[in-house]
Amino acid sequence: MEAAAALTRAASRRRGPAARKPGAQEEPGRRPRRRRPGRRTREEPEEEAVFREVVHFSPDPLPVRYYDKETTEPVSFYLSSLEELLAWTPLVEDSFNVALQPLECRQPPLGSHRPRTLVCHDMMGGYLEDKFIQGSAAQSPYSFYHWQYIDLFVYFSHHTVTIPPVGWTNAAHRHGVCVLGKSQVAAVQNVPAFLRYLTAELHQRIPEGLVLWYDSVVQSGQLKWQDELNEHNRIFFEACDGFFTNYNWREEHLARMLGQAGERLVDVYVGVDVFARGNVVGGGFDTDKSLELIRKHGFSVALFAPGWVYECLEKSSFFQNQDRFWNLLERYLPTHSICSLPFVTSFCLGMGTRRVCYGQEQAVGPWYHLSAQETQPLFGEHKLPGDGWGWVKVHCCLADSWHGGSSLLLQGVIPPEVGSVAVRLFSLQIPAPHKIFLSLVYKLEGSTDVTVALEVSMGDADSCHVGSISVLNAETGSRHRPRPLRVPPTRLARWASRCGQQLSGGWIQRCYEVSLRGCLLRDLFVNLSRPPGSQEESFMCRLGEIQVVDAETLLAPLPQVQSVTISQVRWQPPTSEVEGPQGRLRLSCTLHWSYLLLQARCFRVHCWEGARGREPPGPEKPTFLGLAFVNQYRVVDLAVKAAGPGQEGRVEFLVEPVPREGFQVSQAEWGRAALVYSVPL
């Protein structure tokens, strides 16, 4: 790490930049202005905004910091100097870098007095494919998905002010994990006072924010790693929320720190370099040796560069190696619990070899989009009771998906002496509403007679009732397996339209309704049962989606996407001489819209050419362009038909909201705007 580095919480909940209207436009009811060459005007019919553009090939300058200079794709950025930091002012482009996903509730909370786990992500200088806010076509990218074991995520780079790429913040927040960036501090004699000021201001503006100090500079101003908290660096620890030690410690360092830390034992994050550089206790697949000693003394841990499994080992075995690494650490990493509804996940890793939307293929080809990562389960391999032949393994798989780019694969063998196996996928701590709806999308592969069902365990033994029966007693135990709904309620048609059906690709959806009183949802299981009287049964079950939703929220009306605007238009000529002057132009532009972001999981952006109404002619479907996790999207190099002299071309953009409850909405609730373009006269 760099000298005198302070780790600060990225202000992902900061207010967005001051709103400004993106492009010339007319207010509703006013007569359109007379169009001049190069100027854009907007006509506003009752249900659709129409923008007009004269095609020209002069560059439309965009702020270099916010956009890739070749493609104009929005990118995450860092600040290289204190001068850049002081000169920064919010622009509308900053909205791309604000996380849509709020920090989800989880238990135990970060502020609880217990040892914590911090992951410091340092990979080849940072800002690689993860800098592309709307995703990229990266093949075999790095993915982190063991979020249920960690409390804090630090994005590290060798820049003065590191701002975590927004995709990491969205993925972490979806799992209830706080994200921190990094900065340098000069003038060491003033640092303690600055840290106290920074910490106080951060707590006032972002109550869950943290400031941590890294063990590098000592009180005298020398760059001198101590590998422990001691009298030479304690002044920095006392001025902020925590201390991150260097990595070359031994057990005697840990013993000495017990007295230095006092009651703030868990605020000391003992550094572990997974690359095992220097004189360390253990790294690589021996990292568990370091964690054993750290937890023995009651400290928190800071895992530095666990991407070692990706950088140093075979890419083709990345998922197996990553699961092996975290499985070795599991006994030192307490599991966190989800504590809010709705809970919806398709197990997508934010990457894949194709894009799938509810069983329908949308696009073929590799993609990588961290913001699209869904809530991940508990992974691992477990032995079943009996003669030792029974086992079950849970791992991610890119080979097939129901929604997104991946699914969850459960493989195993159920021996004759075991009737069923319940695989715990999620730890919950959710006060249950009066009625919940659950959904499971799955499919069995190969020849097997195994039965698949959802199970949920309950807490609060003295008061919990399911229907009219108390579930927590010696006879029934705390686990409940609800019965599938054969006829879903008609009032929930938008959520339950596929329940009980055989879906495309062999997928099956089961829906469940559970009435509860005084219950606490504790764990979510998938139960796999072999038929009575059968012998050993092997299985391969692929999970595509799980939902747990408060029934009341499904009845609430959804807002409509409104005020879609088109701005920052850039045209490029046909890419080859073969296409000629009447070939395909390349269009880039920025879409903005209005929507209550707390009600959206994300937005799917589509387009079609030539449509002049609410629906396209014939069976044509709109073309999927990409996902947005804010209320704007940059369309990049969209091929559109060139308009001839005296003619107009037309392309319509559609913005589909994805509710937090995870169902599809009708096109009547989508937002839309059209761009009509012509060549200069």
Side-chain angles (χ1 to χ4, degrees), residues 121-337:
H121 175 69
D122 176 22
M123 183 167 289
M124 296 177 281
Y127 298 97
L128 304 173
E129 292 294 330
D130 55 6
K131 74 178 180 181
F132 294 104
I133 294 173
Q134 295 179 175
S136 74
Q139 298 192 35
S140 303
Y142 173 71
S143 177
F144 177 76
Y145 47 87
H146 289 85
W147 296 102
Q148 303 299 347
Y149 296 132
I150 76 169
D151 300 275
L152 295 165
F153 181 88
V154 176
Y155 191 85
F156 178 84
S157 77
H158 295 275
H159 299 289
T160 301
V161 178
T162 297
I163 304 170
V166 69
W168 282 109
T169 304
N170 277 323
H173 280 189
R174 190 165 289 122
H175 293 85
V177 174
C178 290
V179 180
L180 286 74
K182 181 195 74 70
S183 64
Q184 281 185 316
V185 180
V188 173
Q189 64 271 22
N190 298 324
V191 167
F194 171 73
L195 285 177
R196 283 191 291 271
Y197 171 79
L198 177 63
T199 303
E201 287 292 308
L202 184 67
H203 290 176
Q204 183 176 357
R205 297 169 187 265
I206 307 175
E208 69 275 14
L210 290 176
V211 177
L212 305 183
W213 179 263
Y214 176 66
D215 165 27
S216 52
V217 172
V218 294
Q219 185 174 352
S220 65
Q222 291 177 286
L223 173 59
K224 195 173 183 180
W225 294 275
Q226 300 294 295
D227 302 306
E228 63 177 323
L229 174 67
N230 59 29
E231 66 276 9
H232 300 297
N233 53 31
R234 183 172 175 173
I235 190 173
F236 306 115
F237 173 58
E238 292 172 342
C240 64
D241 295 308
F243 186 88
F244 184 158
T245 78
N246 195 43
Y247 317 108
N248 295 310
W249 50 266
R250 314 302 292 177
E251 187 169 8
E252 53 265 30
H253 292 84
L254 303 182
R256 286 197 296 266
M257 284 197 295
L258 292 173
Q260 293 287 338
E263 295 181 353
R264 295 183 61 194
L265 204 65
V266 298
D267 293 334
V268 177
Y269 297 80
V270 180
V272 177
D273 183 5
V274 179
F275 277 76
R277 292 162 289 201
N279 184 24
V280 301
V281 172
F285 290 124
D286 290 325
T287 299
D288 58 316
K289 296 178 181 177
S290 294
L291 263 70
E292 182 180 12
L293 291 179
I294 295 169
R295 297 307 199 206
K296 172 185 171 183
H297 289 81
F299 292 109
S300 294
V301 64
L303 291 171
F304 185 76
W308 167 82
V309 297
Y310 177 84
E311 291 190 58
C312 296
L313 305 179
E314 287 293 330
K315 299 290 192 297
S316 59
S317 302
F318 165 64
F319 292 114
Q320 298 93 313
N321 289 327
Q322 173 134 292
D323 289 345
R324 177 189 172 193
F325 175 84
W326 288 95
N327 288 344
L328 289 169
L329 306 183
E330 182 181 2
R331 63 185 182 275
Y332 306 113
L333 305 174
T335 299
H336 292 81
S337 301

Side-chain angles (χ1 to χ4, degrees), residues 399-616:
D400 197 0
S401 64
W402 161 251
H403 188 66
S406 54
S407 55
L408 192 70
L409 201 59
L410 277 60
Q411 293 176 275
V413 174
I414 305 176
E417 64 271 22
V418 177
S420 66
V421 55
V423 182
R424 177 173 173 253
L425 296 180
F426 297 98
S427 173
L428 311 175
Q429 196 166 335
I430 303 174
H434 293 304
K435 183 177 290 186
I436 60 173
F437 287 99
L438 303 94
S439 168
L440 171 67
V441 177
Y442 72 95
K443 66 177 171 181
L444 291 165
E445 301 189 349
S447 177
T448 181
D449 293 322
V450 165
T451 301
V452 183
L454 271 183
E455 283 189 5
V456 61
S457 67
M458 310 289 184
D460 293 351
D462 295 333
S463 60
C464 178
H465 290 72
V466 177
S468 60
I469 303 172
S470 175
V471 301
L472 295 186
N473 55 53
E475 295 181 2
T476 62
S478 65
R479 294 225 299 260
H480 175 68
R481 186 186 303 177
R483 294 181 179 178
L485 286 171
R486 296 188 180 276
V487 182
T490 55
R491 69 186 186 281
L492 299 177
R494 64 183 182 183
W495 177 79
S497 59
R498 297 180 298 266
C499 290
Q501 298 181 17
Q502 185 77 30
L503 308 173
S504 61
W507 296 98
I508 299 170
Q509 183 170 15
R510 296 281 184 259
C511 298
Y512 311 84
E513 178 182 4
V514 184
S515 296
L516 302 166
R517 189 172 78 250
C519 298
L520 183 72
L521 305 181
R522 295 301 300 264
D523 296 285
L524 197 60
F525 301 84
V526 168
N527 183 286
L528 300 118
S529 306
R530 61 178 181 81
S534 67
Q535 298 301 308
E536 176 181 286
E537 194 78 38
S538 61
F539 64 87
M540 182 180 293
C541 178
R542 190 178 299 277
L543 303 185
E545 185 180 69
I546 287 180
Q547 301 183 35
V548 184
V549 183
D550 182 348
E552 289 298 318
T553 66
L554 293 173
L555 301 177
L558 286 175
Q560 183 176 356
V561 175
Q562 296 180 333
S563 304
V564 181
T565 62
I566 303 172
S567 65
Q568 296 175 319
V569 176
R570 185 181 81 158
W571 297 97
Q572 290 182 287
T575 56
S576 67
E577 294 182 1
V578 176
E579 293 180 343
Q582 300 302 312
R584 306 289 284 180
L585 300 172
R586 286 181 291 157
L587 165 65
S588 298
C589 61
T590 300
L591 309 178
H592 295 255
W593 56 87
S594 297
Y595 196 85
L596 184 59
L597 293 180
L598 289 178
Q599 293 190 264
R601 194 168 189 82
C602 65
F603 302 91
R604 283 192 282 265
V605 181
H606 314 263
C607 77
W608 58 48
E609 286 190 78
R612 291 186 175 272
R614 298 296 292 173
E615 300 293 339

